[in-house]
Amino acid sequence: MPELSRLIRPKNIAVVGGGDWCRLVIEQCQAMRFEGQIWPVHPKAEEIAGLTAYASIADLPEAPDAAFIGVNRHATVDVVGQLSACGAGGAVCFASGFLEAQAEDADGADLQERLLKAAGDMPILGPNCYGLINYLDGALLWPDQHGGDRVDSGVAIVTQSSNIAINLTMQQRGLPLAYVVTAGNQAQADISHIGAALLEDDRVTALGLHIEGIKDLHAFEVLAARARTLGKPIVALKVGKSDQARAATVSHTASVAGGDAGAAALLARLGIARVDDLPTFLESLKLLHVVGRLPSNRIASISCSGGEASLAADTAYGRDLVFPPLNPRQTENLRAALGPMVALANPLDYHTYIWRDVEAMTRAFAAMMDPGLAMTLLIVDFPRPDRCSAADWDCAIEAAIGARQQTGANVGVVATLPELMPEDVAGRLMKAGVVSFCGLTEAIKACEAASRTAASSADPLLPPTPTVEPNLIPEAEAKRRLSDYGLRIPISHRARTPGAARACAADIGYPVVLKGEGLAHKSEAGAVVLNLQSGGDVSEAANGMEARSFLVEEMITGAVAELLIGVVKDPAHGFVLTLAAGGTLTEILQDSASLLLPASDAMIEEALASLRINTVLKGYRGKPAADRAAILRAIRAVEAYVLDHAEGLEEIEINPLICTPSDAIAADALMRRKDW
């Protein structure tokens, strides 16, 4: 991948084109006090935005570090070739009509290939993107308005959506933005490569990724590993949970969106916190900028209202956060600061007895900030400035900052409504090392995201193989292949006629299960009959099935629970292993956890422990527990087969895996693959 440092941290900039877009790029660099040279390039204009224009790239004083290309898509290809030939550091390709438009324009894909060939070793952003804003150095290759300002340090954000990037620059939350970069089609530089380049800047504290699709799985793993090494956390807003979102993603950026289960498993595996909305995305980045990852999920809340205390507790309900009870030290110090009239608890309503007494408020806040807490949230809603005075709230600001200075603890001031945190107050708090949260819900979600444990290094992921048109492997054959890798399967025989099925049943011994072959979902088609006790039962069941052949199996009894083990190939994220409550109620129970292969024992155990059916597996109300080791062996057998036979494989499903006190047996198996 070409080196991106010159492009994102340029010492000089060329702006190619003469339209309003290009003029705005120049004016914004000037307004942001960019210290390097800016060279307009236009074949006819003598000057643009007060700067002398050059007739061609060949006429420039030297090869530019970065270029904004604001011409049509066909001319863009030619300009990229010229820049590459002269040794430029990189270019932003603003034009659209490339691969993202292939549904409407068959030439789009070919044009993007020509663009890549023209670029050669020179890095490009896009096409179909707005480019980048470097707020650290005032370098803006950006053809539209933005709402940011110069900063000394801050977070970097990478997104595939230029419009979302614009909106993020308009935030009024006190979040210092170091970089905002759009990736567009990711024809060459994708979000992983861009993010890795941004993290290398010492002035960047955290990285935010708005992800529509991941182009290079290995590069994304490298990005996460580098972030761990640098100690710079990543938070991601990954879209694509809905079918509509996935369709919009593909049409918008021509990215491989992949399945949401795969995306969730990937982010969790790599230790990247995932959030679901833009406000939480920004608040999480704000928290990470000020204090970094939280050491635990233990938090406290202080407010001067019982309603706010209750709201804080309810907002955190169901999330992976804990309000631990007060310890003796907290209780003693809080009682000394607040007196006997306040009921002490966490969350705490400290009433308003000490309001305006900065010293007393500081003592009370500091008393709550125990070393065992990861974050203490001080709930303070400021009045609207156009109709009210906020002078009476200075005491809360001073006390929050004072308590932070006394204890060194992680402290956040939270406005329950986002609009009740003034931007100037947010900035004042942030400069003092206090997180300013805009919105209680967003604050709680941000704390949860920041407290997620960073993943340790893991084995490289199994990358997705080329998509094929698979065949449905007969169940008996699928089971045989998996049994070669250690999967326990029932005794079984195949039969072509009802009479042969009856004879097979006698050989196996009753009770037996009869299945009609050649169907992916046999239960729905009435092609599975359980617990047949005699030859007559077998004949009657076989004659009632519309099947050309049959599978006769021993009936497995003594089940503690039934599980599903599934593996599907995700074109964006690799091979996704799903563990779930199994049997005929799988879809109804919706009790599942997903991992990417290969997976460690700890990952598998954590996934099993997260299932609601895990309570049954461990033994429920005096019932025996399932054989955990046998379950793990079954999962490992499926994984081993996938690792050895990934080429051509699209899907495996074991449902149910019958879990008994002494074994785990695959009662049914589905396999879709292409055998060459």
Side-chain angles (χ1 to χ4, degrees), residues 337-408:
L338 298 174
M341 301 294 290
V342 175
L344 302 182
N346 181 23
L348 174 67
D349 167 18
Y350 69 91
H351 299 268
T352 55
Y353 302 130
I354 58 173
W355 189 260
R356 300 187 188 92
D357 187 338
V358 174
E359 184 179 350
M361 293 174 71
T362 302
R363 287 200 307 271
F365 294 168
M368 182 62 107
M369 295 172 191
D370 189 74
L373 295 171
M375 173 65 70
T376 300
L377 302 176
L378 311 177
I379 299 178
V380 183
D381 287 292
F382 295 84
R384 54 185 297 167
D386 57 337
R387 299 177 184 174
C388 307
S389 170
D392 208 21
W393 275 254
D394 283 346
C395 58
I397 299 172
E398 294 176 22
I401 294 173
R404 157 71 181 171
Q405 292 171 343
Q406 280 187 23
T407 65

